[in-house]
């Protein structure tokens, strides 16, 4: 694995004993975690309620299977390893981090079992050509029939691709990162953190800008004219124009694929999403977390941060 992960076929491998030891340690940790988890993972029930992190993990899995398959078809072994091992592991570690406080809850065990079993099954099948011995051991522990080396290569399940879940989880990740950056930059020791989500008209303006950009480069004048045409926005003309200018700059440089995904998802209920993730943020920062809508008249906002809220980028106040 140390040789294959450093270079593609016919390229010189940058092998080193340290890399081999690192690989061995990584595989031993993964093997131990898999065995321990398999021992206490319940059988999957018929009806399982999946949360956003569950759907996100299963959706991302399909993408990793697709990329690894394409790489193997082209004999790009190094690329396949990165998708099947590094990238998939990185996603699964985030998933474990997200559900840390829920994982042992009785009502969540079956959902975790479903995600874990599907991830492990696909990963063992994909890594078997590169690390056959440990994959055969895991395959037997999983109850797989025969040898994994003779099992079918996994296929991505398009029915499990959930763009909305992926976009929702991306918002959680970026909010966490933005909060950490604020704390690092200010040197504050947080006592309270408040998140403010965008008002509905900003979402309307954002999606309209994306829609216009997909038809060609969006122009500021055209966007403002489109927005001010709505009676409820006409009275906010000055604020809308300023916001529209920023949106034009954002969407014109956004990759077309990202625009299409966001248009497909539409407006996200960020207030509900962040409220559902309050326990996660509280565990990460060890302080009280408050979520408010920008247009909530009862919000706690001593620094008037709410007006800075944008779609996919809630405003943040650290006290």
């Amino acid at each position: 694995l140390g040789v294959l992960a450093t270079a593609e076929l016919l390229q010189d491998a940058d092998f080193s004993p340290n890399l081999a030891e690192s690989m061995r340690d990584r595989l031993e940790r993964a093997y131990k975690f898999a065995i321990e988890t398999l021992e206490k993972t319940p059988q999957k029930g018929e009806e399982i309620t999946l949360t956003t992190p569950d759907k996100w993990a299963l959706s991302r899995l399909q993408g990793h299977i697709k990329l690894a398959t394409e790489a193997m078809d082209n004999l790009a072994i190094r690329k396949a390893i990165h998708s099947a091992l590094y990238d998939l592991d990185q996603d699964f570690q985030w998933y474990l981090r997200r559900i840390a406080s829920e994982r042992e809850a009785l009502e969540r065990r079956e959902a975790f079992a479903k995600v874990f079993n599907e991830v492990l099954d696909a990963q063992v099948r994909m890594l078997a050509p590169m690390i056959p011995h440990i994959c055969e051991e895991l395959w037997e522990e999983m109850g797989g029939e025969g040898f994994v080396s003779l099992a079918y290569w996994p296929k991505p399940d398009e029915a499990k691709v959930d763009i909305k879940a992926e976009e929702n989880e991306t918002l959680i990740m970026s909010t966490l990162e933005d909060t950490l950056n604020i704390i690092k930059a200010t040197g504050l020791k947080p006592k309270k953190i408040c998140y403010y989500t965008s008002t509905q008209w900003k979402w309307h303006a954002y999606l309209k800008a994306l829609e216009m950009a997909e038809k060609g480069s969006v122009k500021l004048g055209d966007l403002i004219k489109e927005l001010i045409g709505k009676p409820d926005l006409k009275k906010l003309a000055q604020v809308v124009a300023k916001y529209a200018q920023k949106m034009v700059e954002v969407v014109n440089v956004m990759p077309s694929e990202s625009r299409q995904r966001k248009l497909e998802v539409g407006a996200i209920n960020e207030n509900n999403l962040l409220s559902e993730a309050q326990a996660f943020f509280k565990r990460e920062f060890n302080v009280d977390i408050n979520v408010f809508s920008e247009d909530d008249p009862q919000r706690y906002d001593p620094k008037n941060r709410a007006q800075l809220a944008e779609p996919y980028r809630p405003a943040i106040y650290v006290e």
Side-chain angles (χ1 to χ4, degrees):
L1 186 63
V3 171
L4 291 171
T6 57
E8 296 295 2
L9 301 181
L10 303 182
Q11 294 179 342
D12 292 335
D14 185 20
F15 177 80
S16 72
N18 288 338
L19 175 63
E21 290 175 9
S22 173
M23 288 289 190
R24 181 193 63 194
D25 292 344
R26 183 190 191 99
L27 293 176
E28 286 180 349
R29 288 196 304 271
Y31 178 80
K32 183 179 179 181
F33 173 79
I35 295 299
E36 291 175 351
T37 306
L38 283 168
E39 288 175 352
K40 56 185 179 181
T41 296
Q43 294 296 316
K44 294 179 286 186
E46 294 182 5
E47 295 295 331
I48 300 175
T49 301
L50 300 179
T51 61
T52 294
D54 301 326
K55 295 175 183 177
W56 172 85
L58 292 176
S59 183
R60 292 281 295 176
L61 173 62
Q62 311 316 312
H64 295 311
I65 293 173
K66 183 178 179 180
L67 289 175
T69 302
E70 291 172 354
M72 288 295 282
D73 286 344
N74 294 315
L75 293 180
I77 310 300
R78 177 178 179 271
K79 189 175 181 180
I81 290 173
H82 276 261
S83 292
L85 181 62
Y86 295 111
D87 295 343
L88 183 51
D89 275 355
Q90 186 176 34
D91 278 355
F92 192 69
Q93 290 305 313
W94 170 261
Y95 171 68
L96 291 177
R97 185 176 172 184
R98 278 282 274 130
I99 65 165
S101 63
E102 311 167 5
R103 191 173 142 194
E104 299 302 325
L106 186 61
E107 66 273 15
R108 292 286 295 131
R109 288 181 186 175
E110 288 188 346
F112 171 73
K114 177 178 177 61
V115 174
F116 170 75
N117 287 333
E118 290 197 25
V119 169
L120 184 62
D121 180 85
Q123 189 170 46
V124 167
R125 290 171 188 261
M126 290 189 290
L127 291 178
M130 282 72 80
I131 45 173
H133 303 89
I134 198 168
C135 285
E136 293 291 0
E137 290 286 337
L138 284 172
W139 186 251
E140 184 176 349
E141 292 290 340
M142 292 159 56
E145 295 183 8
F147 293 104
V148 69
S149 58
L150 301 178
Y152 286 108
W153 182 269
K155 292 183 178 180
D157 186 348
E158 292 299 324
K160 292 177 181 175
V161 175
D162 192 327
I163 295 177
K164 183 176 181 180
E166 291 192 30
E167 292 296 320
N168 285 352
E169 202 61 22
T170 297
L171 190 149
I172 298 295
M173 291 179 183
S174 61
T175 301
L176 176 68
E177 184 179 0
D178 287 346
T179 308
L180 289 170
N181 288 338
I182 290 172
I183 293 172
K184 183 178 180 180
T186 59
L188 290 172
K189 186 175 182 180
K191 296 179 181 178
K192 177 192 293 186
I193 296 175
C194 297
Y195 294 123
Y196 309 97
T197 59
S198 290
T199 186
Q200 201 60 37
W201 74 259
K202 285 185 178 179
W203 270 103
H204 171 73
Y206 179 68
L207 293 174
K208 180 56 68 175
L210 289 174
E211 186 181 313
M212 294 172 71
E214 273 300 284
K215 298 175 182 178
S217 181
V218 58
K219 296 179 181 179
L220 180 59
D222 293 339
L223 179 59
I224 292 176
K225 184 178 179 180
E226 180 74 29
L227 296 176
I228 300 301
K230 291 180 66 69
D232 56 332
L233 295 185
K234 196 168 186 178
K235 56 187 178 183
L236 300 172
Q238 191 172 353
V239 177
V240 170
K242 185 177 180 180
Y243 178 73
Q245 183 176 1
K246 190 169 187 179
M247 285 303 96
V248 168
E249 295 172 359
V250 170
V251 301
N252 274 339
V253 298
M254 186 183 295
S256 181
E257 183 182 354
S258 296
R259 289 199 297 259
Q260 291 170 8
R261 284 172 64 93
K262 287 175 168 52
L263 280 171
E264 183 177 339
V265 171
I268 291 177
N269 191 328
E270 295 178 316
N271 204 276
N272 283 353
L273 183 63
L274 292 177
S275 295
E276 290 171 358
Q278 274 180 294
F280 165 70
F281 286 116
K282 185 172 183 178
R283 189 170 65 251
E284 289 289 319
F285 298 111
N286 197 30
V287 295
D288 288 335
I289 305 295
N290 298 276
V291 180
F292 301 100
S293 174
E294 178 183 355
D295 50 13
D296 180 359
Q298 303 299 319
R299 69 178 184 269
Y300 177 75
D301 189 12
K303 298 293 185 179
N304 199 25
R305 292 281 195 273
Q307 63 178 335
L308 303 176
E310 299 174 15
Y312 285 101
R313 192 159 189 178
I316 303 169
Y317 171 61
V318 180
E319 188 169 79

